[in-house]
Amino acid sequence: QTKFINKSTEGRDIAVLFGDGAGAAILQASEGESGILSTHLHCQGKDLKNLWMEGPGSSGDNQINKVTIEQAKRFEPYMNGREVFKNAVVRFPEVIHEALEKNNLSMDDISLIIPHQANLRISQFIQKRLGLSNDKVFNNIMKYGNTTAASIPIALKEVILDDKLKNGDILCLAAFGSGFTWASALIKW
């Protein structure tokens, strides 16, 4: 059987941005005041094609081995970097403020923000826009690249191992991703 291998340089403008990683968080009930305070999730489908993969699924019949180069492009991510940046730097602060307002908290109450590690420039822009010091925003994209959905769990593990959170701290997780979705979770540690 012949397997498809894309030896072209197409897609390199996005492929070099991604790292490989996996992560998960296991939740359990807790007593006391610690726990998830609120979560907020949004989507703007009209901008879907600015950050997406047309055919991410599999039909299960192993046809991926027989596709042409044109057909295979459906299985490669596409990103309009300029549009992603323009939207991410607006949506991140919005969803962080939404979480704070829901919990009657202010930016001064946040101990640490762990943003989705999509782009260091986005994180730095958001940090500046929110008036936060370097010790209030955790970044590790420089080490791993964009590990997509794994980026926050990987960063959270590093924060825990580095003992950057103490009981009672307010942690904000925030993300902007494919399909133009964005979210936040506010957690009392």
Side-chain angles (χ1 to χ4, degrees), residues 19-185:
D20 189 16
I26 299 172
L27 305 176
Q28 68 183 28
S30 64
E31 295 193 23
E33 296 180 16
S34 65
I36 298 172
L37 301 176
S38 65
T39 60
H40 309 270
L41 175 63
H42 303 278
C43 179
Q44 189 168 351
K46 73 178 183 69
D47 292 317
L48 166 75
K49 292 184 179 183
N50 283 314
L51 183 60
W52 80 321
M53 188 178 327
E54 182 181 354
S58 170
S59 64
D61 62 5
N62 206 19
Q63 290 299 310
I64 190 71
N65 293 330
K66 301 173 187 151
V67 297
T68 67
I69 290 175
E70 269 312 302
Q71 292 167 325
K73 287 180 183 177
R74 292 184 51 230
F75 299 95
E76 295 175 0
Y78 169 79
M79 178 174 64
N80 177 339
R82 179 170 279 123
E83 286 302 310
V84 170
F85 187 91
K86 280 179 16 183
N87 281 273
V89 298
V90 170
R91 299 306 184 189
F92 265 105
E94 282 179 357
V95 79
I96 291 168
H97 282 296
E98 179 182 9
L100 291 171
E101 289 170 19
K102 170 73 176 170
N103 293 282
N104 296 315
L105 297 171
S106 72
M107 199 60 65
D108 292 334
D109 295 312
I110 291 182
S111 304
L112 187 65
I113 294 177
I114 299 177
H116 165 56
Q117 304 293 302
N119 179 309
L120 185 58
R121 288 185 326 117
I122 291 172
S123 291
Q124 290 170 334
F125 191 95
I126 293 161
Q127 177 181 341
K128 185 176 181 180
R129 177 172 275 177
L130 296 175
L132 298 170
S133 60
N134 289 339
D135 63 331
K136 292 249 184 168
V137 180
F138 184 82
N139 290 300
N140 66 2
I141 190 169
M142 307 77 67
K143 291 167 45 176
Y144 307 114
N146 179 351
T147 56
T148 63
S151 73
I152 290 176
I154 290 170
L156 181 58
K157 177 66 174 181
E158 286 190 21
V159 163
I160 292 168
L161 288 175
D162 291 345
D163 207 23
K164 292 183 183 286
L165 291 170
K166 60 185 181 310
N167 288 344
D169 280 353
I170 301 295
L171 171 65
C172 184
L173 310 177
F176 182 90
S178 64
F180 273 46
T181 55
W182 61 98
S184 67

